[in-house]
Amino acid sequence: MFVSLIGNAIFITIVVLIAVRKLITPPSLANPQVVSVSNPVLTPQPISGERHHLSYQQWLDLLGQEAKIAAENPPGELYILLGDSISLWFPAHFLPPGNWLNQGISGETTAGLRLRLDILDQTKPKAIFLMVGINDLLQGVRPKTVLANQKQTIRYLKRVHPNTVIVVQSILPHGAETATWEGRKKLIETPNAEVRKMNQSIKEMAKSEGVVYLDLYSLFANEQGNLRIELSTDGLHLNAEGYKLWRLAMDIGKQLTID
């Protein structure tokens, strides 16, 4: 069943108000669980450290090991986060309740992600949350190619994980001229109007493929359509408040789409 979280004014107002009132992590998130290499369930680790300075191949090897552990020692209700650095740096203690396998890799593209899905074949997640595409746009990859890669990814996940809810999340806006990220020039050369257009195509594709579409763009954008400065560290990546808002949106997505 396809469910779209429309980014209209009412929805945005409700979620933002909730976010403002719940800036402190709710009691239910006091002890989240995260799948990791050394132990299926570990105390959440900070987003900085050697883990985030690995080569792409090292990341593939590490994520493969984590996926293998999750498959051989099912942690219960498993959720998977698929994407690039924005997903990678999602603080474990901000994630919704459940056992999470974070499969984000810094700099990931739709083509790269599509080619590494097989490491998840033996896992049995309840839901997979996917967000990828901004790096493609910044590299000048044609929207048509981005969409084709997304479609292949979704079809693969649906075929291999038929009992899993697939949640396709929109690409987030960026800070444009206000960004301080080292690749600021690329952001300015890739207007958010292009991101919005890409998201519309992703939304339509998600509907045709019968998977869930979660509109995050509308929640994170200001009146100019750029990433809200109070939710970001550099105009591209999120800060703690940004991840808290994302978590709230994921909660809503889970409540609406997962039995």
Side-chain angles (χ1 to χ4, degrees), residues 12 45 50 53 68 103 108 140 155 158 163 203 226:
I12 295 174
Q45 300 179 6
E50 294 183 3
H53 298 283
K68 182 179 180 181
Q103 293 277 296
E108 186 62 287
R155 289 184 174 180
K158 286 172 59 181
N163 299 317
K203 176 182 177 180
N226 300 327

Side-chain angles (χ1 to χ4, degrees), residues 84-85 105-109 133-141 236:
D84 49 37
S85 61
I105 295 182
S106 183
E108 186 62 287
T109 62
I134 186 61
N135 289 314
D136 295 73
L137 297 180
L138 296 179
Q139 293 172 19
V141 178
L236 177 64

Side-chain angles (χ1 to χ4, degrees), residues 44-73:
Q45 300 179 6
I47 63 176
S48 60
E50 294 183 3
R51 229 176 121 83
H52 303 288
H53 298 283
L54 302 176
S55 68
Y56 190 83
Q57 186 56 52
Q58 289 173 323
W59 265 114
L60 288 180
D61 294 340
L62 176 60
L63 297 184
Q65 293 177 52
E66 294 184 340
K68 182 179 180 181
I69 288 176
E72 295 177 347
N73 303 278

